[in-house]
Amino acid sequence: MKNVVRNFLVLLLLSLASVASFAANEQESNSYIYKIQPGDIISIAVWKEEDLQSDVLIRPDSAFSFPLIGEISTKNKSVADIKKEIANKLEKFIPQPDVSVSLRQINGNKIYVIGKVNRPGEFALTKPLDVMQALSLAGGTATFAELDDIIILRRENGTQHAIPFDYPEVERGSKLEQNIILLSGDVVVVP
């Protein structure tokens, strides 16, 4: 009888763990929805309205202008968010507008790798990218790089701060939390 109860409890705990894992993975995947950046180009079309079709460059202030509705901010918005906002604003002029918005070019979502790497430069963030992947894109580190003093420069709310990254620790499989997902505008500095 004790074995049956123990096996039941083990199965129950495993089930709860898999549900929690699924919820965490679902939340993590939702956090990677691409947000439109300055420099990106989006294509907007309103079905059966030829004058309401255009490619739009997102300005440095994260906004663009569109006929009939004026200025639209893209700050912290996805393609779906922008589509919904355009449709809502067009309803004043067009009954039930059928709006499509697509991302034509990702020009504003970049990270930079500088210092003692084989190919320093800017790299487009077309998918979530961590520090090790960014260093790989930059051709790896150069011979005399100080691998335990790498930093990531990040600007948040107008303030820049440095995030330390110790390559040898991550390479050994310890302190993996340092291998953060990079955000648009991050600079990886390899001294």
Side-chain angles (χ1 to χ4, degrees):
M1 181 68 173
K2 287 181 183 179
N3 286 341
V4 171
V5 171
R6 186 184 67 190
N7 289 342
F8 174 76
L9 289 175
V10 167
L11 286 173
L12 180 63
L13 288 173
L14 288 173
S15 297
L16 290 174
S18 72
V19 167
S21 174
F22 174 78
N25 287 340
E26 185 69 22
Q27 182 178 7
E28 184 176 307
S29 68
N30 287 339
S31 68
Y32 294 126
I33 294 174
Y34 182 74
K35 306 294 183 183
I36 300 298
Q37 303 287 325
D40 289 347
I41 297 175
I42 59 173
S43 182
I44 303 169
V46 181
W47 191 57
K48 292 189 176 182
E49 300 291 337
E50 288 184 26
D51 293 338
L52 298 178
Q53 297 180 13
S54 65
D55 288 348
V56 186
L57 174 66
I58 307 303
R59 299 187 312 249
D61 65 351
S62 297
F64 67 93
S65 298
F66 196 72
L68 296 179
I69 55 179
E71 297 290 305
I72 295 181
S73 173
T74 63
K75 192 165 189 112
N76 293 320
K77 293 181 183 171
S78 68
V79 168
D81 296 333
I82 294 167
K83 174 184 173 179
K84 184 177 179 181
E85 183 174 345
I86 291 171
N88 287 340
K89 289 184 176 188
L90 282 176
E91 281 186 342
K92 295 176 189 174
F93 310 101
I94 303 167
Q96 299 177 337
D98 187 0
V99 177
S100 68
V101 178
S102 60
L103 186 59
R104 301 256 309 164
Q105 289 182 357
I106 298 175
N107 296 329
N109 201 33
K110 297 179 180 175
I111 55 106
Y112 307 86
V113 183
I114 62 173
K116 293 182 181 167
V117 291
N118 293 316
R119 286 189 312 270
E122 65 181 26
F123 301 93
L125 279 177
T126 56
K127 62 179 180 158
L129 192 72
D130 61 37
V131 179
M132 293 294 275
Q133 291 167 329
L135 292 171
S136 176
L137 286 175
T141 58
T143 305
F144 297 106
E146 296 178 36
L147 299 178
D148 54 351
D149 286 332
I150 296 172
I151 59 169
I152 296 94
L153 299 176
R154 178 171 289 170
R155 189 174 307 276
E156 292 178 311
N157 302 321
T159 304
Q160 191 168 37
H161 60 276
I163 303 167
F165 181 81
D166 190 330
Y167 184 98
E169 283 183 341
V170 174
E171 185 179 41
R172 284 192 301 271
S174 61
K175 298 190 180 178
L176 296 177
E177 66 278 359
Q178 295 179 78
N179 195 24
I180 60 173
I181 298 295
L182 297 171
L183 302 178
S184 180
D186 281 355
V187 180
V188 179
V189 181
V190 181

